[in-house]
Amino acid sequence: VNNMANMGSIIRCAAAFGVDAILMTATCCNVWYRQSVRVSMGYIAKVPIITVGNLENVISELENSEITCYAAISENRTGTLALEDLEKGDIASSWCCVLGNEANGIQPEVIRNCSFSIRIRMQGGIDSLSVSVAAGILLHGFLEKSGGL
């Protein structure tokens, strides 16, 4: 995520929905920049934020630890889950939601390392949402579908 306001909003959503930690790569914006902190409404102090090296390796380690990884994508590819189609219990109780940057999304090799790709169904003609808006929708949906709400 490159935009400071988006990052602050993602942090705030993560705190609101009880996320255990935020993992980010070194290419993400500085979360301690004042705009990120301000938009997070101070919740930056509530959610551990960890900078990781190779995201592909981290995804593999999470999957090996029985944490199911879901890559958030905007395209309707074959095999992609739609959040709205899932029932309570369809999302694993231990999960990781992988979000891409605003311009390019998630690298294909990272998507391949995730157990599933998932999208938010939208009305015709709309092909994407702000990463922070998508994060809020997905985190709420994951919490609800994993039985946490």
Side-chain angles (χ1 to χ4, degrees), residues 22-43:
I22 295 173
L23 307 178
M24 55 183 258
T25 63
T27 60
C28 288
C29 66
N30 181 351
V31 297
W32 294 104
Y33 184 75
R34 75 186 139 144
Q35 187 176 16
S36 294
V37 174
R38 185 174 64 242
V39 173
S40 81
M41 297 296 290
Y43 289 106

Side-chain angles (χ1 to χ4, degrees), residues 2 17 26 38 48 55 58 62 70 93 96 114 116 119 140 143:
N2 298 319
F17 298 119
R38 185 174 64 242
L55 189 55
V58 171
L62 290 171
Y70 299 85
S93 59
C96 171
C114 292
F116 301 100
R119 68 184 180 89
H140 179 271
L143 190 60

Side-chain angles (χ1 to χ4, degrees), residues 5 24 26-27 29-30 46 48-49 51 53 56 71 75 84 102 106 127-128 134 139 147:
M24 55 183 258
T27 60
C29 66
N30 181 351
K46 297 269 186 189
I49 300 172
T51 302
E56 293 170 62
E75 308 90 39
E84 300 79 8
E102 296 87 348
I106 304 170
D127 63 354
S128 67
L139 293 177

Side-chain angles (χ1 to χ4, degrees), residues 134-145:
I137 293 168
L138 287 166
L139 293 177
H140 179 271
F142 278 36
L143 190 60
E144 179 181 54
K145 308 291 183 178

Side-chain angles (χ1 to χ4, degrees), residues 53-127:
N54 184 310
L55 189 55
E56 293 170 62
N57 291 343
V58 171
I59 298 289
S60 293
E61 289 177 31
L62 290 171
E63 292 279 352
N64 289 337
S65 299
E66 298 185 12
I67 297 172
T68 305
C69 296
Y70 299 85
I73 65 171
S74 58
E75 308 90 39
N76 185 12
R77 299 178 185 171
T78 303
T80 299
L81 304 173
L83 180 65
E84 300 79 8
D85 292 340
L86 300 178
E87 302 290 329
K88 197 169 214 165
D90 284 349
I91 296 287
S93 59
S94 296
W95 52 264
C96 171
C97 180
V98 181
L99 303 167
N101 76 19
E102 296 87 348
N104 302 312
I106 304 170
Q107 297 173 345
E109 53 274 9
V110 173
I111 294 172
R112 282 192 295 273
N113 279 9
C114 292
S115 292
F116 301 100
S117 53
I118 192 161
R119 68 184 180 89
I120 300 165
R121 190 175 296 122
M122 294 175 273
Q123 296 294 315
I126 307 297
D127 63 354

